[in-house]
């Protein structure tokens, strides 16, 4: 079963790999072994927490392709936890954006990338390099993440938000549907005429 599990994730000469210690394998090989271990019980859902961390771009692409192949062959659902929006765009069908332990936006990937609505989601996209305008300055999200053991009253993102009002620091927003497939949690949306500015608007 172990040999078959290693074959599933494309490890060459799995019989020999079984005799290796972890430090004798590359980072990419170790990731493949971890995926093989996770898949050995034939789960319906694979939870992958930052599966490409510390891997170079080439190995990262191989691991993502491997996970997609397993998903297609085994009909396994994958819950991918990552900070890498490039990985999200390449591999996911639906995305949930979380901040300080709460869901702040949820939508299909294409819809979210085309029309992000929550100020935190906007901040994530604004902090990415623009490959079409290499001289453009990055716009980082101001401030720091709150202490998860001592969250502020109201919206946790309010101290870092360009759209925050006094009400935001007093009341916690609820997840609100703006379409059949798109939801986000922001008090600013309740104000008539609210619109997050994009790019050169």
């Amino acid at each position: 079963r172990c040999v078959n599990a290693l074959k599933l994730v494309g490890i060459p000469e799995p019989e020999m790999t079984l005799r290796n210690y972890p430090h004798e394998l590359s980072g990419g090989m170790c990731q493949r072994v971890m995926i093989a271990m996770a898949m050995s019980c034939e789960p319906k859902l694979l939870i992958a927490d930052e599966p490409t961390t510390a891997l170079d771009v080439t190995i990262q692409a191989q691991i993502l392709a491997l996970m997609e192949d397993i998903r297609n062959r085994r009909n396994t659902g994958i819950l991918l936890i990552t900070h890498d929006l490039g990985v999200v765009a390449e591999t996911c069908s639906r995305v949930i954006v979380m901040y300080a332990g709460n869901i702040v936006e949820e939508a299909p990937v294409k819809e979210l990338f085309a029309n992000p609505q929550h100020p935190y989601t906007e901040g994530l996209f604004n902090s990415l390099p623009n490959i079409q305008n290499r001289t453009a300055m990055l716009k980082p999200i101001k401030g720091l993440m709150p202490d998860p053991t001592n969250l502020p009253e109201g919206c946790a993102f309010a101290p870092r938000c360009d759209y925050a009002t006094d009400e935001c620091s007093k009341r916690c927003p609820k997840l609100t549907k703006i379409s059949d497939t798109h939801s986000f949690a922001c008090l600013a949306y309740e104000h008539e005429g609210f619109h997050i500015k994009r790019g050169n608007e």
Side-chain angles (χ1 to χ4, degrees), residues 18 37 40 67 70 75 83 95 98-99 103 114 131 136-137 140 142 146 152 154-155 176 189 194:
L18 278 175
M37 291 168 66
S40 63
M67 291 171 59
I70 289 174
N75 198 27
H83 292 87
V95 60
M98 299 188 71
Y99 184 81
I103 296 173
I131 60 172
M137 296 291 289
K142 65 183 181 182
C155 176
T176 305
Y189 184 73
F194 170 72

Side-chain angles (χ1 to χ4, degrees), residues 8-26:
L8 174 69
V9 297
I11 288 181
E13 300 180 327
E15 293 86 357
M16 290 184 62
T17 303
L18 278 175
R19 301 188 182 95
N20 291 130
Y21 288 98
H23 70 269
E24 295 177 303
L25 303 177
S26 67

Side-chain angles (χ1 to χ4, degrees), residues 51-124:
T52 58
T53 299
L55 299 178
D56 65 47
V57 177
T58 303
I59 302 301
Q60 181 184 87
Q62 291 176 5
I63 295 298
L64 294 176
L66 168 64
M67 291 171 59
E68 186 173 354
D69 181 56
I70 289 174
R71 178 177 61 188
N72 294 334
R73 281 195 285 156
R74 292 289 187 91
N75 198 27
T76 300
I78 297 177
L79 175 60
L80 179 66
I81 303 167
T82 182
H83 292 87
D84 191 328
L85 290 173
V87 170
V88 172
E90 187 178 337
T91 62
C92 300
S93 57
R94 187 165 187 83
V95 60
I96 293 175
V97 180
M98 299 188 71
Y99 184 81
N102 292 312
I103 296 173
V104 295
E105 189 160 8
E106 179 179 355
V109 168
K110 288 183 179 179
E111 186 173 345
L112 185 95
F113 274 63
N115 188 30
Q117 284 298 306
H118 193 276
Y120 176 58
T121 312
E122 177 197 27
L124 293 176

Side-chain angles (χ1 to χ4, degrees), residues 127-182:
S127 64
L128 293 174
N130 186 340
I131 60 172
Q132 295 173 340
N133 182 5
R134 296 181 182 275
T135 60
M137 296 291 289
L138 298 182
K139 185 182 178 185
I141 301 172
K142 65 183 181 182
L144 299 171
M145 281 283 296
D147 180 351
T149 63
N150 186 27
L151 293 176
E153 187 179 350
C155 176
F157 189 64
R160 308 177 72 187
C161 181
D162 292 332
Y163 307 98
T165 64
D166 290 340
E167 188 179 10
C168 295
S169 61
K170 300 172 185 174
R171 185 158 65 93
C172 194
K174 294 181 180 179
L175 204 61
T176 305
K177 275 197 167 191
I178 57 171
S179 74
D180 291 340
T181 56
H182 198 157

